Amino acid sequence: MDRISGIKKLTDNRYLNLYELDATFRDGSKAPYYVASRRPNSESLKAVTGDNRADGVLIYGVHGPQRDKVVLIRQYRYPVNAYVYEFPAGLVEAWEDPAQAAAREFFEETGLTLSPIDGGAYQRPFFTTVGMTDESCATVFGYCQGTPSSAHQEGSEDIEVVLADREECRRILKEERVAIMCAYMLMHFIATEGDPFTFLQK
């Protein structure tokens, strides 16, 4: 049974739009279902194409000779009117692969240079908040160097770069506002010893 009988684009913005789906539920009833998407038109929605190209990248970068600090950003977010701890992230341009996008976005947001490593299957795109959007992101893992800087951030961005060791990560998880994907990866970072990316070699 086709669960979507029609799609209407409700907004016309550059980075994110709202779509109304004519949905048929499991019990046969029908109702509109609203979806946010980074896709530019109805024909390119993942519900239509079935593809899963990464819309964005989430960047898990570690810093320092002992690889014992994780690179976080503390960013002001309008939906919650507060600063939230996150991993550096950004959108993948049409001409980029996830690793290229990650290196570019990481430098723009943090001033640090990222050397991506092969994430294998762990780097393939996964969905973010699938109940409300078809957005998916690839996680790019890498080692970084340099001194944090805000010099390359856009004027609309309000970002503080944080190099956090495991003790600080525990504090952040207990006390601060944290994006859920960041929270899960901080739990992974805390649970490891030494290089947190050894699991990628298995």
Side-chain angles (χ1 to χ4, degrees):
M1 178 177 65
D2 187 5
R3 304 287 292 268
I4 301 169
S5 58
I7 302 174
K8 183 189 302 179
K9 186 178 182 185
L10 301 178
T11 59
D12 190 22
N13 298 309
R14 181 177 178 186
Y15 295 113
L16 185 68
N17 283 289
L18 183 65
Y19 293 84
E20 180 182 298
L21 311 184
D22 296 326
T24 301
F25 300 133
R26 183 171 58 88
D27 62 3
S29 62
K30 299 177 184 292
Y33 194 100
Y34 297 96
V35 175
S37 180
R38 297 194 182 280
R39 298 300 172 104
N41 52 57
S42 300
E43 295 76 23
S44 61
L45 289 179
K46 293 177 184 177
V48 174
T49 66
D51 78 331
N52 189 23
R53 181 183 184 275
D55 300 291
V57 286
L58 193 70
I59 306 148
Y60 188 164
V62 293
H63 191 274
Q66 304 302 316
R67 297 173 176 169
D68 57 351
K69 292 183 174 62
V70 65
V71 180
L72 303 175
I73 58 172
R74 181 176 174 269
Q75 182 168 200
Y76 177 81
R77 289 299 196 180
Y78 285 96
V80 292
N81 192 26
Y83 288 88
V84 178
Y85 281 84
E86 306 172 53
F87 273 66
L91 298 179
V92 180
E93 300 290 354
W95 57 88
E96 293 177 315
D97 63 29
Q100 291 170 324
R104 174 183 55 76
E105 288 284 358
F106 197 79
F107 180 73
E108 289 172 1
E109 292 190 355
T110 71
L112 301 170
T113 301
L114 179 76
S115 298
I117 59 176
D118 183 6
Y122 297 104
Q123 190 171 309
R124 71 186 185 92
F126 293 102
F127 294 107
T128 55
T129 311
V130 76
M132 62 184 290
T133 179
D134 66 353
E135 180 189 57
S136 62
C137 289
T139 301
V140 175
F141 307 85
Y143 305 113
C144 54
Q145 58 186 0
T147 302
S149 169
S150 61
H152 304 283
Q153 294 172 13
E154 296 179 9
S156 59
E157 294 177 317
D158 185 352
I159 296 173
E160 173 192 356
V161 184
V162 177
L163 303 180
D165 61 17
R166 288 174 171 87
E167 182 178 348
E168 176 63 2
C169 289
R170 288 188 181 92
R171 186 199 68 78
I172 289 169
L173 285 172
K174 290 177 182 178
E175 300 176 7
E176 304 288 352
R177 295 173 185 259
V178 185
I180 192 166
M181 289 184 289
C182 175
Y184 286 141
M185 287 190 282
L186 288 184
M187 293 174 201
H188 168 264
F189 180 68
I190 290 169
T192 61
E193 294 182 3
D195 188 339
F197 298 152
T198 55
F199 79 100
L200 296 174
Q201 303 164 9
K202 297 180 180 179

